Amino acid sequence: LLGLALGFIHFWKPGIRKTWQFIIHRSTTRTAILLSKMSVASIMVICMSLAWLLLVKIVSNSKSIIIPPEAGIVRLGVFYAFLSLIAYISIALCALTNARWYTTKLFSIIFGLVMYAIIISQAYFYRAAFIFVLAFVVLIVQLYQVFLQREF
């Protein structure tokens, strides 16, 4: 949910408020603007992962918990934090697409949801990680291309 909210704030709000012209026509490149937005999303993922690891550490050091958390749960929690990047990039790509909502504008969100469902349904972690990397690369390449070529 945090990836969806941050994607909305970073990419939908400037479109709604018509502030893209102000953001783009600064003394910096479009690549720098996109990288700054992506670095904020990466910091969000790192903070969520660190919060998860801190909670696991607290639970594992607690004397009231009889069964300590498994190592797979720790890895899975960090992986779920990284899944928010798929939601963030899907929302960003949808916000930057010039198409109408009833045509191809929602394809990135549908692609993100399908990839999320496929990742969650995997029985093995390495398969889910591979599909995540694949979906991330597909979405980030499209986002970079759309952001550099879009006229605001």
Side-chain angles (χ1 to χ4, degrees):
L1 292 176
L2 194 56
L4 293 173
L6 194 62
F8 178 79
I9 290 170
H10 276 182
F11 293 96
W12 278 96
K13 253 179 129 172
I16 292 170
R17 293 186 175 176
K18 308 283 189 223
T19 57
W20 274 117
Q21 292 83 5
F22 176 75
I23 295 169
I24 297 299
H25 293 95
R26 308 293 279 167
S27 60
T28 184
T29 64
R30 287 184 179 214
T31 304
I33 293 170
L34 184 61
L35 286 176
S36 68
K37 290 180 180 292
M38 291 303 298
S39 63
V40 168
S42 300
I43 290 170
M44 171 202 63
V45 168
I46 291 169
C47 289
M48 287 184 353
S49 299
L50 289 175
W52 174 254
L53 292 173
L54 180 66
L55 287 173
V56 168
K57 177 89 171 147
I58 290 170
V59 167
S60 64
N61 288 341
S62 175
K63 302 295 183 202
S64 63
I65 306 294
I66 299 171
I67 302 171
E70 299 176 12
I73 297 295
V74 175
R75 180 179 63 198
L76 198 60
V78 172
F79 184 68
Y80 281 146
F82 276 89
L83 280 180
S84 65
L85 281 176
I86 298 288
Y88 176 79
I89 298 171
S90 295
I91 291 294
L93 191 57
C94 181
L96 293 175
T97 304
N98 283 333
R100 299 278 185 203
W101 68 269
Y102 52 83
T103 58
T104 59
K105 189 170 187 84
L106 296 178
F107 276 0
S108 63
I109 293 177
I110 293 168
F111 178 78
L113 287 172
V114 168
M115 288 296 109
Y116 185 77
I118 290 172
I119 289 168
I120 296 299
S121 68
Q122 295 302 311
Y124 297 105
F125 180 75
Y126 68 89
R127 286 184 190 165
F130 176 74
I131 295 170
F132 168 78
V133 169
L134 195 67
F136 180 79
V137 168
V138 166
L139 286 171
I140 201 74
V141 166
Q142 289 180 355
L143 178 64
Y144 185 73
Q145 179 186 10
V146 166
F147 192 76
L148 291 184
Q149 293 178 353
R150 175 128 195 266
E151 292 295 325
F152 291 99

